[in-house]
Amino acid sequence: MKILMVCLGNICRSPLAEGILQHKAQQAGLSWTVDSAGTNGYHVGEAPHHLSQKVALLNGVDISSQRSRRFSGADFDQFDMIYAMAGDVVEEMKWLAKNRFQEAKVELLMNELHPGSDMDVPDPWYGTEPGYHEVYKMIEAACDRIIARHTSLAHQ
């Protein structure tokens, strides 16, 4: 399974999602590839936001080696599933991918917890540290659901 997590800048939400899901997949014995990208490209090559790194590390997940990259239409060829952190991210993905966009591979991450609700993971970029903790909890719960679903399918 190859999963891509996407947000706007690839320095706050999607690096957390990549790190959390990769960590949980490894703990579950799943040999998944998890990556992340951003739609705006403003932070290409940068490490995750220092508060994303801090909150991840407090939860036993080290994301310090990740580097931001820009989402591209080619990602649809490389990944089985692409999770967007928010609705505006999906719209940007459509614009960037153009005719390569594959709706069947895209889902809002929070729909894993609340199917059909189309909830966004709030962008903590402009806020303070507590916002990063809240975002971590939301992403972690969604990743737990992804892992549980795939491990139960493997045992059927």
Side-chain angles (χ1 to χ4, degrees), residues 35-100:
D35 195 5
S36 62
T39 56
N40 68 25
Y42 295 152
H43 301 283
V44 169
E46 292 181 22
H49 190 280
H50 68 95
L51 288 174
S52 286
Q53 289 188 54
K54 178 181 180 181
V55 169
L57 207 49
L58 286 171
N59 287 281
V61 178
D62 183 0
I63 62 171
S64 63
S65 64
Q66 293 182 24
R67 294 297 174 264
S68 175
R69 73 171 183 86
R70 189 161 193 204
F71 173 83
S72 79
D75 286 320
F76 282 101
D77 301 328
Q78 303 298 317
F79 293 93
D80 302 307
M81 189 69 198
I82 300 176
Y83 286 103
M85 300 298 118
D88 59 340
V89 174
V90 175
E91 293 308 310
E92 287 290 312
M93 288 167 55
K94 286 179 183 175
W95 184 82
L96 289 167
K98 305 213 180 336
N99 63 347
R100 296 176 89 169

